[in-house]
Amino acid sequence: LSDIIFDCLMQLLEIAQVPDEHVSEFKSIEKFKIFNTNNLWVNLKAIKRLVEADALKMEIIPNPKEVDGVKVLQLETAAGAAIKFFDKAIGINVPRSRFLPVKATSDLLLVQSDLYTLQDGFVVRNQARENPENPSIELGPEYKKVSSFLGRFKSIPSIVELDSLKVAGDVWFGAGVTLKGKVSIIAKSGIKLEIPDGSVLANKEINGPEDL
């Protein structure tokens, strides 16, 4: 933990509350240098006081989404938004090494790979990786659901030396695959592309079996 950065009333702003024309501004790290990691520590006595006073007026956030091709409107509240009701709320700035969210299967690939290990209940980064930044990983819609993601990997590839990975199309990974440098695997339409067991792909662009 590093410096405490807030000591005043705060308000959480979710992207679902931002008009389309202001999304790029919302994502600007120049304008908003601090963002919420959703790690909340709350005094239950303080919550009890607010509930009994009927002071927790949580805002409903309409969040447009698409589920199996159907457009839906998800109505939600954000737990972190309650921060504006607490007079003595603070925010704590933590280093990037403490922030490892899993919100998509690309994040899941990172934490399940050999880039991280679990030691005494803590997720620890592999010291064998020389690059201080995590690799950039972009997985296609075929990997969006966790079940589909897990079904397409016999085992999670080694990515300690990976810089970036882009995967799209009907791609399946064998066991013991190693990815290094910049790897792009974009299967041609109508082709089932299987990465063989034990493959080592380093700075490769693959579109079909002939590229392996």
Side-chain angles (χ1 to χ4, degrees):
L1 299 178
S2 57
D3 298 336
I4 292 176
I5 55 172
F6 296 118
D7 191 11
C8 59
L9 288 176
M10 293 172 282
Q11 184 167 340
L12 178 70
L13 179 63
E14 292 275 349
I15 192 169
Q17 297 170 284
V18 180
D20 291 343
E21 63 270 24
H22 292 295
V23 168
S24 59
E25 183 182 1
F26 172 78
K27 292 181 178 180
S28 169
I29 60 173
E30 296 299 323
K31 183 161 189 174
F32 298 104
K33 295 182 173 61
I34 303 300
F35 61 94
N36 169 44
T37 65
N38 214 28
N39 190 340
L40 307 176
W41 291 68
V42 184
N43 186 316
L44 294 179
K45 292 180 180 179
I47 290 183
K48 184 174 184 289
R49 286 197 301 269
L50 289 175
V51 170
E52 290 176 343
D54 196 26
L56 277 175
K57 305 292 185 181
M58 298 295 292
E59 182 179 357
I60 301 296
I61 304 172
N63 192 356
K65 292 189 174 182
E66 187 171 310
V67 179
D68 295 329
V70 178
K71 291 185 178 181
V72 299
L73 188 63
Q74 177 174 300
L75 301 180
E76 59 186 44
T77 57
I83 197 170
K84 68 180 180 181
F85 299 107
F86 295 86
D87 293 334
K88 297 180 181 180
I90 61 172
I92 299 177
N93 190 15
V94 300
R96 187 65 178 81
S97 60
R98 289 283 304 276
F99 178 53
L100 193 64
V102 177
K103 303 196 74 173
T105 52
S106 55
D107 303 321
L108 186 59
L109 192 154
L110 278 176
V111 298
Q112 288 190 334
S113 74
D114 57 351
L115 193 58
Y116 289 94
T117 56
L118 191 63
Q119 296 179 7
D120 299 323
F122 290 91
V123 178
V124 179
R125 200 164 188 267
N126 192 335
Q127 294 184 355
R129 181 171 174 83
E130 297 179 357
N131 188 340
E133 299 293 329
N134 278 343
S136 168
I137 297 178
E138 183 180 342
L139 301 179
E142 298 81 7
Y143 293 81
K144 184 175 182 179
K145 293 184 177 180
V146 173
S147 58
S148 300
F149 165 83
L150 295 175
R152 288 178 177 270
F153 290 96
K154 282 187 181 179
S155 68
I156 300 299
S158 170
I159 61 171
V160 173
E161 298 180 56
L162 178 69
D163 294 321
S164 66
L165 171 66
K166 185 174 183 179
V167 182
D170 193 12
V171 181
W172 301 74
F173 288 82
V177 173
T178 299
L179 305 175
K180 299 180 179 182
K182 296 181 179 180
V183 179
S184 174
I185 308 173
I186 312 296
K188 297 175 183 177
S189 179
I191 291 180
K192 180 179 181 180
L193 182 53
E194 299 185 60
I195 309 301
D197 294 352
S199 296
V200 177
L201 306 180
N203 296 307
K204 292 275 290 184
E205 184 171 333
I206 299 168
N207 300 113
E210 67 278 3
D211 299 321
L212 292 170

